[in-house]
Amino acid sequence: MTSIHEKYNLKQVINTSGRMTILGVSTPSQSVIDAVNVGLNHYFEIKQLVNNSGAYIANLLNVEAAVVVSCASAGIAQAVAAVIVKDNANLLLNLHSAPVNEPREIVLPRGHNVNFGAPVDTMIALGGGKVVEAGYANECSAAQLAAAITPQTAAILYVKSHHCVQKSMLSVAQAAEVARQHQLPLIVDAAAEEDLQCYYQSGADLVIYSGAKAIEGPTSGLVIGKKQYIEWVKQQSNGIGRAMKVGKEGILGLTQAIENYLTQPKISGAQMVERMDPFIEALNKLAGISARTVWDSAGRDIARAEITFNEALLGISTSEIVERLKNGEIAIYFRGYKANEGKIEVDVRSVDQQQLMTVFHCIKNLFAE
Ligand SMILES: *Cc1c(COP(=O)(O)O)cnc(C)c1O
């Protein structure tokens, strides 16, 4: 509990669910907080700050160019606006106030038109784009993507995310090949992805990341890509970008977070196991509850605690347990994807051992009642 929690009557939250926007995404490290602080305490020539921080990030990532934006959603909207407006000064100022004669269709696989917390197609519309879906809900090949391209196409959008349909989908490299054949740019939304280079290397012209998710920066977004396209994204600060302005503190905080992300060792799966061992051991002593270590289904070096509830013995459904732990005095959030199978998962990256034991006591108390 902090004085802020008391002042505004806010619940203490323990987040074992991962990078969730509804919980504030992540808690940046001290060096990122220090960079934010420097940003808040000084004036800068903002154009220089944008350009030089972008060049610094581009150099770190070995890409042509980069720019910090306010969040990944803003990155999608501004990337779409950039490929429609390009250098057209009049259109920059009138994107939504006049009929657009320039190509403005954004082609994306139908299985990528997802809701990540807000719809992808809303962000495309914000950027002045018109959504054109290619392929089927569960299938999109390179040929199906190409078949949706017309003279009105402005770009291809590829959404790389666990939210999307995965099977029978073309790869980023295949989408890049289609884009190249039709002389169109490829935009990749990789908001929550961990690899900051591979999509660019696969041939994308613009790649968008969320600043607070894997990178653990302040609320912000990152757009990397080819120089000309990044210049057009930057120009949007005089157009729709103004409604999604990133502050100097966000620019400096994210730049520091990217540097940390690339240079500092990440917590390993083995360290996660070590952190959660006492927690799992304690849970296994409770009647009707069993816990074990499980490894990330996508093959990443992430270990999580899987807790299985014997619903018949405990006389309560797992979704009800999840609900009660959310609504307790301390709000505890789990990964609840498998609640219908009587299982929940604990992601230990955002919690320390002490918080894990608090989670244990809250679970224990739930059944002591
Ligand atoms: C989280 C997410 C976004 C939005 O990122 P913000 O930085 O919160 O705007 C966009 N696309 C995907 C696939 C996401 O997972």
Side-chain angles (χ1 to χ4, degrees):
M1 275 299 222
T2 65
S3 57
I4 291 280
H5 285 85
E6 278 165 22
K7 183 174 176 187
Y8 300 116
N9 189 25
L10 303 172
K11 263 171 109 165
Q12 199 182 326
V13 172
I14 296 181
N15 174 17
T16 80
S17 59
R19 305 278 173 252
M20 301 292 285
T21 290
I22 57 160
L23 300 178
V25 196
S26 60
T27 53
S29 68
Q30 192 57 48
S31 62
V32 172
I33 294 168
D34 292 343
V36 166
N37 205 11
V38 169
L40 290 172
N41 275 292
H42 293 84
Y43 293 106
F44 302 90
E45 292 177 321
I46 292 298
K47 200 165 184 175
Q48 188 174 62
L49 178 64
V50 168
N51 287 336
N52 294 10
S53 61
Y56 190 85
I57 293 167
N59 184 51
L60 284 175
L61 295 175
N62 198 19
V63 301
E64 274 186 28
V67 62
V68 176
V69 293
S70 64
C71 62
S73 307
I76 300 169
Q78 288 172 102
V80 167
V83 299
I84 296 169
V85 171
K86 297 182 175 159
D87 279 322
N88 186 330
N90 186 47
L91 191 55
L92 175 66
L93 303 180
N94 297 289
L95 184 58
H96 291 285
S97 51
V100 176
N101 298 319
E102 280 72 6
R104 66 181 189 103
E105 291 180 357
I106 306 296
V107 172
L108 80 166
R110 179 167 287 172
H112 287 192
N113 195 1
V114 295
N115 183 345
F116 56 77
V120 166
D121 62 13
T122 298
M123 304 312 141
I124 294 172
L126 269 176
K130 185 169 177 289
V131 171
V132 173
E133 294 180 340
Y136 298 90
N138 64 345
E139 173 187 294
C140 186
S141 65
Q144 286 165 336
L145 188 69
I149 293 170
T150 73
Q152 285 307 307
T153 306
I156 294 172
L157 174 66
Y158 190 105
V159 181
K160 180 75 196 169
S161 168
H162 69 275
H163 291 296
C164 294
V165 171
Q166 309 290 336
K167 76 180 201 20
S168 307
M169 281 291 157
L170 78 173
S171 66
V172 172
Q174 286 175 304
E177 180 60 27
V178 173
R180 198 162 45 241
Q181 281 164 358
H182 293 81
Q183 292 176 314
L184 288 169
L186 172 67
I187 303 168
V188 176
D189 168 14
E193 298 307 296
E194 301 193 323
D195 193 318
L196 303 186
Q197 286 160 310
C198 68
Y199 308 111
Y200 176 87
Q201 286 164 357
S202 295
D205 297 281
L206 289 170
V207 190
I208 298 149
Y209 295 91
S210 191
K213 289 178 180 170
I215 305 168
E216 297 186 61
T219 302
S220 56
L222 170 68
V223 187
I224 61 171
K226 305 275 162 59
K227 205 173 171 74
Q228 177 65 82
Y229 289 106
I230 293 292
E231 284 309 313
W232 287 334
V233 171
K234 286 181 189 172
Q235 276 182 35
Q236 287 299 318
S237 62
N238 298 116
I240 64 155
R242 185 55 185 257
M244 39 195 94
K245 176 167 75 175
V246 62
K248 54 201 187 329
E249 69 282 8
I251 295 174
L252 286 167
L254 181 62
T255 306
Q256 184 63 51
I258 292 167
E259 187 160 3
N260 295 353
Y261 185 73
L262 294 172
T263 56
Q264 291 175 0
K266 292 182 193 35
I267 176 174
S268 69
Q271 285 169 309
M272 296 178 206
V273 170
E274 197 179 319
R275 188 180 295 177
M276 65 193 179
D277 263 351
F279 173 66
I280 289 182
E281 207 180 295
L283 280 173
N284 277 322
K285 294 197 179 113
L286 298 180
I289 296 176
S290 59
R292 63 180 185 132
T293 300
V294 292
W295 291 89
D296 182 59
S297 56
R300 294 172 297 179
D301 187 29
I302 300 170
R304 300 193 180 92
E306 180 193 76
I307 309 174
T308 305
F309 298 99
N310 184 335
E311 296 182 347
L313 192 83
L314 296 167
I316 179 172
S317 74
T318 302
S319 51
E320 179 65 23
I321 294 169
V322 167
E323 220 34 47
R324 288 211 200 161
L325 289 164
K326 244 187 233 181
N327 295 322
E329 197 176 332
I330 299 173
I332 303 174
Y333 281 74
F334 297 97
R335 291 170 71 83
Y337 300 121
K338 291 194 227 157
N340 60 337
E341 297 169 31
K343 297 179 202 306
I344 57 173
E345 279 184 9
V346 174
D347 192 311
V348 296
R349 286 176 292 175
S350 312
V351 283
D352 57 27
Q353 218 163 42
Q354 193 191 337
Q355 285 176 311
L356 279 176
M357 289 326 278
T358 304
V359 174
F360 164 74
H361 285 294
C362 290
I363 293 176
K364 189 177 164 194
N365 289 343
L366 196 64
F367 298 108
E369 279 163 16

